[in-house]
Every structure is written in structure tokens, then in C-alpha cells.
């Protein structure tokens, strides 16, 4: 299954901010975590993540610092700010509203899978 680009875009900010509540992290680790959380269904690219991180930093939702781990190259680590935590709380309220509405609309009306042979396709 491929998740639609507009859904990925809409969920990107709360996804990254939520991951950063687990602790500071760097780009590649964030990409791995997204893949892990989605069971491999969300396969983000660096081209999606880094512009988002830069925007979140401009907005004051995250801060970054360069760190060097012994034996590894220098990495830019990101951490969520108090402003980012407030934004995440607001995004969560909005997503809860959307998810609740979708659950109500879909309740026993829309099958999770469609058998093409049964649908006449």
C-alpha cells in the first residue's frame, strides 16, 4: 500500500514532533523511526524530511545542534522546544477530531478491503 502524498504531508509535522518527544535525534534516525512506526508503509526520503526539519526550526518548534559521537561523523541533532510541544498538542487535538469523524463516517459502512470479484470490477 502506498500512502497518498497529501496524507503524508498533512501528518509530517505531528509525526516528526511526536518522534522528537522520545528524545533528540538526527535525520537518518528519524527516517528509520518513521519506517519502523509504520511497519514499513511510510518510506520517507531525505528530500521530504530535511526541508520539514528546517521549517520546524524556523518556526521555533525544534532546535538543533551539531554533535560528534566518537568514531562517527558529525551529525545535526534536533530536539523539540516548548513551543513545539504546544504545537504538537494542538495538532493532536486536530487529528483526534479528524480521526473521530472518520471513524463515525466509516462505522460499518465502508469495508476495509474490497474483493474485486464481489464488486463487479
Amino acid at each position: 500500500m502506498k500512502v497518498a502524498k497529501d496524507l503524508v504531508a498533512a501528518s509530517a509535522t505531528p509525526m516528526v514532533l511526536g518522534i522528537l518527544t522520545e528524545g533528540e535525534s538526527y535525520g537518518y534516525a528519524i527516517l528509520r523511526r518513521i519506517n519502523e512506526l509504520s511497519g514499513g508503509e511510510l518510506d520517507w526520503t531525505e528530500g521530504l524530511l530535511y526541508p520539514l526539519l528546517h521549517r520546524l526550526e524556523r518556526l521555533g518548534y525544534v532546535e538543533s545542534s551539531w554533535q560528534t559521537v566518537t568514531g562517527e561523523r558529525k551529525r545535526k541533532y534536533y530536539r523539540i522546544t516548548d513551543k513545539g510541544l504546544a504545537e504538537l498538542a494542538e495538532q493532536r487535538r486536530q487529528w483526534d477530531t479528524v480521526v473521530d469523524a472518520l471513524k463515525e463516517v466509516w462505522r460499518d459502512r465502508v469495508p476495509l478491503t474490497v474483493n474485486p470479484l464481489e464488486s463487479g470490477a
Side-chain angles (χ1 to χ4, degrees):
M1 171 186 72
K2 185 161 173 76
V3 177
K5 286 183 181 181
D6 56 347
L7 191 53
V8 170
S11 62
T13 293
M15 183 81 66
V16 170
L17 292 177
I19 288 169
L20 291 176
T21 64
E22 299 172 351
E24 67 179 12
S25 192
Y26 59 96
Y28 181 69
I30 294 169
L31 290 173
R32 278 196 330 249
R33 185 71 175 127
I34 290 165
N35 189 278
E36 174 187 305
L37 288 168
S38 69
E41 296 293 333
L42 295 174
D43 190 22
W44 288 15
T45 63
E46 292 176 2
L48 172 72
L49 179 63
Y50 288 106
L52 172 62
L53 286 169
H54 297 152
R55 184 175 65 80
L56 295 176
E57 192 167 19
R58 279 193 311 274
L59 292 169
Y61 299 159
V62 301
E63 296 173 335
S64 66
S65 63
W66 288 98
Q67 299 178 26
T68 304
V69 177
T70 305
E72 296 182 10
R73 65 185 183 99
K74 200 173 192 181
R75 292 185 176 134
K76 193 173 192 178
Y77 279 77
Y78 297 88
R79 70 189 150 283
I80 193 167
T81 63
D82 289 341
K83 188 175 179 181
L85 287 169
E87 176 61 20
L88 180 58
E90 175 57 26
Q91 294 249 341
R92 183 168 180 179
R93 280 189 289 277
Q94 292 178 28
W95 273 98
D96 285 345
T97 299
V98 170
V99 168
D100 290 346
L102 285 171
K103 284 179 182 176
E104 192 60 35
V105 167
W106 291 337
R107 184 181 314 270
D108 301 325
R109 295 183 196 111
V110 180
L112 290 177
T113 59
V114 176
N115 183 336
L117 299 175
E118 293 176 5
S119 67

